[in-house]
Amino acid sequence: MTPARPTERQARAIRLGPRSLLALALVSAVGVAGFGWPFLAPPASTLNAHAQDAPWLFAGLLVLLVAVVAATISESGLGPKAVAMLGVLAATGAALRPIGAGTAGLEPMFFLMVLSGRVLGPGFGFVLGSVTMFASALLTGGVGPWLPFQMLAMGWFTMGAGLLPGADRLRGRAELCLLAAYGFLAAFAYGTVMNMAGWPFMSALASNISFSPDAPLPTNLARFLAYCLATSLGWDLGRALVTVVLTAVLGTPLLKALRRATRRAAFEAPVTFADTPR
């Protein structure tokens, strides 16, 4: 009896089971409400009267995020090798984030999240993104009511890379182009949703582009667009360009290393035996 050769197909460290899908759907729904309530609530809604309390109310997202992580890990039967890889990647991402802090959006952690989510799948990607942002906040002292929004947005960002097509077939330059394009667009998407988390609470700073509870939806959309262009376009563009450049330069060797580590860890591969001829 000899062990069968391990398959070359990509092995995903965390697979989304029923409970994980339900928890992820719940936290995503609450997250959409937390990010988009200024556009979802009508002008006469009583929610607008509590606008300044919203960051603390939606900080409860952190509890749901922890529940998603716990449900995902418990359902997947996460082994020590997968936990070790999660810890290494999260620590690496957390260490990369402060490198460009305060410098025109130069955030190298995003390219690592894209490549990791691509190789290790959407379930691992969501867990990795949220855990990395949490570890980064502890490292930099950036813990506050905004942290749950950052964790959720980064979880979505990394999970999206795992949902891209051709995970088992697409390789080489075509795959790098796909990942670079996703990283470019997703970097702007991340910046936009994070703007939504803070935009309603800066009315005292710039009334012309701030959220107005009494304004109709088209007016607030125009104000939000002006806010994004005035405050974060440069940061989002820097983040997007850095992600593209690092993906193009380091993508091939890092993808190979992640896939090699995943195959060797064989997180989900069952141990089978084949009879050998006597």
Side-chain angles (χ1 to χ4, degrees):
M1 304 281 285
T2 59
R5 290 184 178 180
T7 179
E8 291 298 319
R9 187 176 180 179
Q10 171 184 330
R12 288 186 170 90
I14 297 180
R15 211 184 323 185
L16 291 179
R19 285 186 300 172
S20 300
L21 286 172
L22 180 61
L24 181 55
L26 175 62
V27 74
S28 295
V30 176
V32 169
F35 281 115
W37 68 266
F39 304 121
L40 299 174
S45 173
T46 56
L47 180 61
N48 291 319
H50 300 278
Q52 298 304 317
D53 301 329
W56 300 101
L57 295 175
F58 289 115
L61 278 171
L62 182 58
V63 178
L64 292 175
L65 284 167
V66 173
V68 170
V69 173
T72 303
I73 290 177
S74 63
E75 273 201 348
S76 62
L78 194 64
K81 293 181 180 179
V83 172
M85 179 171 285
L86 176 64
V88 169
L89 291 174
T92 303
L96 286 174
R97 189 180 179 213
I99 291 178
T103 312
L106 304 180
E107 298 175 277
M109 71 171 289
F110 281 81
F111 102 98
L112 178 63
M113 297 297 102
V114 171
L115 300 184
S116 300
R118 171 64 169 178
V119 172
L120 297 164
F124 192 103
F126 184 85
V127 175
L128 174 63
S130 59
V131 170
T132 300
M133 189 57 71
F134 181 72
S136 173
L138 294 179
L139 182 65
T140 60
V143 178
W146 55 84
L147 178 57
F149 296 98
Q150 291 178 324
M151 291 175 64
L152 183 59
M154 185 57 69
W156 284 340
F157 179 94
T158 313
M159 182 177 69
L163 295 173
L164 293 174
D168 296 326
R169 301 179 303 276
L170 192 63
R171 295 291 184 270
R173 183 176 299 178
E175 183 178 35
L176 286 182
C177 290
L178 174 66
L179 295 178
Y182 171 79
F184 185 86
L185 296 175
F188 280 97
Y190 175 87
T192 300
V193 297
M194 287 309 303
N195 284 341
M196 292 175 67
W199 169 64
F201 315 110
M202 46 78 67
S203 57
L205 300 178
S207 58
N208 291 333
I209 59 175
S210 64
F211 170 66
S212 175
D214 300 323
L217 177 60
T219 300
N220 274 326
L221 284 175
R223 287 170 175 250
F224 177 68
L225 178 60
Y227 172 77
C228 292
L229 294 175
T231 62
S232 68
L233 179 61
W235 284 84
D236 295 340
L237 180 60
R239 181 190 304 117
L241 292 178
V242 168
T243 302
V244 170
V245 171
L246 292 179
T247 300
V249 175
L250 302 176
T252 297
L254 187 52
L255 285 171
K256 289 181 178 179
L258 287 171
R259 287 185 170 121
R260 187 182 307 113
T262 304
R263 286 195 298 268
R264 288 181 177 177
F267 299 140
E268 294 179 354
V271 177
T272 58
F273 295 90
D275 292 329
T276 56
R278 296 183 178 179

